[in-house]
Amino acid sequence: MNSRLPLIAGNWKMFKTGPEAAAAARELAREVAGAQAVEVMIAPPFTALEAVHAALQGSAIALGAQNTHWEDSGAFTGEIAPPMLKAAGCRFVIIGHSERRQLFGEDDRGVNRKVHAVRRHGMVPVVCVGETEAQRDAGQTFSVLDKQLRLGLENIALGNPLDVVVAYEPVWAIGTGKTASDHQAQEVHDRIRRLLAELLGADLAAGVRILYGGSVKPGNVAGLMAMPDIDGALVGGASLDPQTFARIMRFRS
Ligand code: PGA
């Protein structure tokens, strides 16, 4: 265990209407009381943000968004701007999720613009990085992550290590039921922290939370969280059911 406060984050992807998301959030708000020394965040779809924000009033659960545009406003049909997310109550914004990269053509330059935009508005970017199965098999895992982080975090000045979160999500483990082993994940997290030390300085890097994502479930979360450089989880499928997600946020018990 280290001194970083773990962050357990739920990414609800394109699931749940506003009323459904608010009901799940209310249930989670009741459950979070039993989770010790952990920060919890949920990222519902845009249309559910305000309802979930209202449902979370009085609870310690933080609200996150799944994406953002980098401009503050403008003629960008179908997009959502950082000030809108801020006004809806978001504290976190997931950036560069592998589904955005693979299905919607996002690249590291766009990720970097979004990271800057989110920081400008005082929210915390959750910057997702990860290699595909083919890249891992070709021995390119570290070089892929290196590039994603160097470009994604370019020119980011942090005053506080909690102002950015990195999520390592091997693409081959997302929604597949395949999880990286605890030690496989730790090896990559250690590497990411060393790279962060190079980019941000050792003191800041020591405090940045690095989450693991990819088929995290109640049965595997404790083993992952026992690793020295794994500071939380970004959970997709297993975050949709409040009781299952509650078991993940209570990973210590
Ligand atoms: P999963 O998704 O937990 O369903 O594998 C993780 C993610 O995409 O963030």
Side-chain angles (χ1 to χ4, degrees), residues 9-13 94 97-99 128 167 169-178 212-217 233-240 248:
N11 170 12
W12 287 354
K13 306 192 179 183
I94 299 170
H97 188 278
S98 68
E99 286 152 15
C128 300
E169 299 203 302
V171 177
W172 48 271
I174 296 181
T176 58
K178 292 188 204 170
Y212 171 79
S215 300
V216 174
K217 298 193 168 45
L234 182 53
V235 187
S239 71
L240 292 170
I248 295 176

Side-chain angles (χ1 to χ4, degrees), residues 79-166:
E79 292 293 319
I80 302 280
M84 300 170 186
L85 300 177
K86 179 88 178 173
C90 290
R91 218 181 309 153
F92 294 90
V93 184
I94 299 170
I95 305 289
H97 188 278
S98 68
E99 286 152 15
R100 302 289 328 158
R101 294 177 190 259
Q102 296 211 307
L103 305 173
F104 302 99
E106 288 198 10
D107 61 13
D108 295 319
R109 292 277 165 221
V111 167
N112 185 248
R113 285 198 186 118
K114 292 179 180 194
V115 169
H116 280 279
V118 167
R119 287 296 311 128
R120 238 183 3 256
H121 290 279
M123 295 177 288
V124 176
V126 179
V127 184
C128 300
V129 294
E131 81 287 3
T132 63
E133 189 151 33
Q135 289 165 335
R136 177 166 277 263
D137 290 346
Q140 295 167 348
T141 299
F142 295 144
S143 61
V144 167
L145 296 171
D146 194 275
K147 175 166 172 282
Q148 289 175 339
L149 282 167
R150 275 182 204 282
L151 295 176
L153 297 180
E154 198 168 74
N155 294 325
I156 297 299
L158 289 188
N160 183 322
L162 300 179
D163 288 347
V164 71
V165 172
V166 173

